[in-house]
Amino acid sequence: MPRFHFHIRREAAGTLDRDEVGMVLPDIEAAQTEALESAKELIIERIRADRRIDSFFEVTDSEGNVVFLMPFWQALRF
Amino acid sequence: MFDLSSGMAALTRMGKDVRIALGPVADEIDFCANRLLASLKEPERAFMRPFISRRTLAAGEILFEPGDDVTVTYFPCHGAMVSLRITCSDGKDVEAATIGREGAVGGIVSAGKKPAYARAIVQISGPAYSIPTTKIEDAKCRSPAVHDLFCRYADALLAQVMQSVACSALHAVEQRCARWLLATHDRVGQSTIPLTQEALADMLGVRRTTISAVAKSLHERGAIRYVRGRVDIINRKRLLQAACECYESVEAHFARILPEVDETT
């Protein structure tokens, strides 16, 4: 099973928080679920702390190739 | 009271002499490896000694499940750590209490053979002593000091659980994570904690990826470093600054009610 790394790019700050450890998951769908569920949790944390939610997940494989991007706001429903 | 206490102590001394005469004994019980056992005085130790077994707890091992009859009390030694967890019907679970070398797990609050409410799972491997709960109850009946010690420990354990309720409802994941690492640092007694992000996520009831983000933030504060499979505590003072007051409140209560068990006094 592949290892995915869920880096967090903070748009306004222009920084990338690297997820060095990563996580072994069966496939990209599982990685998308992980990103979405974690985005829900991180949005809650940031709202409570009066922080911006403009970040997105930059998910890479173990070679560093970007597999997909997922903005945190994707976890929100309007 | 121990009416036979002086006789027992004398017997133990004799026993020790005999063993020395026969050669070294492999299974000498080190009461000092667990702080609760360490605070027992000799007559009580002499009573407990024949019933104590030593074993190694392996990470992930389940000591009891909800509903199990708890017949054994475990006293984690050195860096071993056990987590009491509550699992909901959707499979999500969260930690209610952490027990290490400062305490014991199994029949503490229930005072003996009763069905367990939580799941007890070994979080960090290490040695432990185990004693049948019935023997602990016997020791409590014989000695008011033992009774009082276990009562006070049950109170400390309940205080930890009550603080966890407040912490989980009111505090940010980063604060809770810092609190948990501080408490674990005390119990493990070394700056490297063998713990995956998945395990830490399970404990706090969040996703692994959320832990990664929080760990990054604690790393930026200069408090910790996460390497695959372990956390390094780099600066405890900074970790304390990142934690909520829950860590210090529980520690202060423990030190107040169990001064003889607390490592800082």
Side-chain angles (χ1 to χ4, degrees), chain B residues 66-147:
Chain B
D68 283 359
D69 255 1
V70 178
T71 55
V72 175
T73 302
Y74 296 91
F75 297 79
C77 299
H78 304 295
M81 228 176 75
V82 176
S83 172
L84 284 179
R85 302 266 274 272
I86 298 298
T87 308
C88 293
S89 54
D90 61 359
K92 286 183 184 169
D93 73 345
V94 71
E95 186 186 77
T98 300
I99 295 107
R101 63 180 175 195
E102 83 299 341
V105 60
I108 294 298
V109 179
S110 68
K113 196 181 162 187
K114 302 274 190 320
Y117 187 74
R119 167 180 294 127
I121 180 163
V122 179
Q123 203 58 59
I124 296 175
S125 310
Y129 285 122
S130 66
I131 305 176
T133 52
T134 50
K135 296 302 168 193
I136 292 178
E137 291 313 302
D138 288 352
K140 285 189 204 171
C141 290
R142 285 160 173 262
S143 159
V146 174
H147 187 266

Side-chain angles (χ1 to χ4, degrees), chain A residues 2-78:
Chain A
R3 184 175 288 273
F4 295 92
H5 296 264
F6 297 77
H7 311 302
I8 296 174
R9 195 170 285 283
R10 284 186 272 182
E11 212 144 30
T15 57
L16 183 72
D17 287 344
R18 295 187 60 79
D19 170 19
E20 320 281 359
V21 175
M23 186 176 196
V24 174
L25 289 166
D27 50 32
I28 292 179
E29 284 70 39
Q32 283 170 332
T33 303
E34 175 64 21
L36 193 70
E37 293 303 316
S38 179
K40 289 180 191 170
E41 293 175 354
L42 290 169
I43 284 174
I44 294 168
E45 292 296 306
R46 290 188 182 192
I47 289 173
R48 282 167 64 154
D50 268 334
R51 287 173 57 205
R52 304 177 70 102
I53 56 162
D54 62 347
S55 307
F56 58 89
F57 278 118
E58 193 170 303
V59 179
T60 66
D61 60 21
S62 50
E63 269 85 55
N65 305 305
V66 176
V67 184
F68 65 86
L69 301 175
M70 184 186 284
F72 280 16
W73 59 257
Q74 209 156 307
L76 298 173
R77 289 183 186 221
F78 297 94

Side-chain angles (χ1 to χ4, degrees), chain A residues 18-19 34 38 41 45, chain B residues 173 207-210 212 216:
Chain A
R18 295 187 60 79
D19 170 19
E34 175 64 21
S38 179
E41 293 175 354
E45 292 296 306
Chain B
V173 175
R207 309 292 292 204
R208 192 293 313 181
T209 299
T210 304
S212 167
K216 199 74 194 177

Side-chain angles (χ1 to χ4, degrees), chain B residues 128-190:
Chain B
Y129 285 122
S130 66
I131 305 176
T133 52
T134 50
K135 296 302 168 193
I136 292 178
E137 291 313 302
D138 288 352
K140 285 189 204 171
C141 290
R142 285 160 173 262
S143 159
V146 174
H147 187 266
D148 179 58
L149 177 72
F150 278 88
C151 263
R152 285 181 291 131
Y153 177 64
D155 181 77
L157 193 59
L158 189 57
Q160 192 195 144
V161 174
M162 289 195 279
Q163 196 66 47
S164 294
V165 172
C167 194
S168 302
L170 304 173
H171 296 145
V173 175
E174 186 173 324
Q175 293 176 302
R176 291 169 56 209
C177 183
R179 173 201 173 190
W180 198 90
L181 291 173
L182 285 164
T184 305
H185 188 211
D186 291 343
R187 291 170 172 101
V188 173
Q190 57 182 37

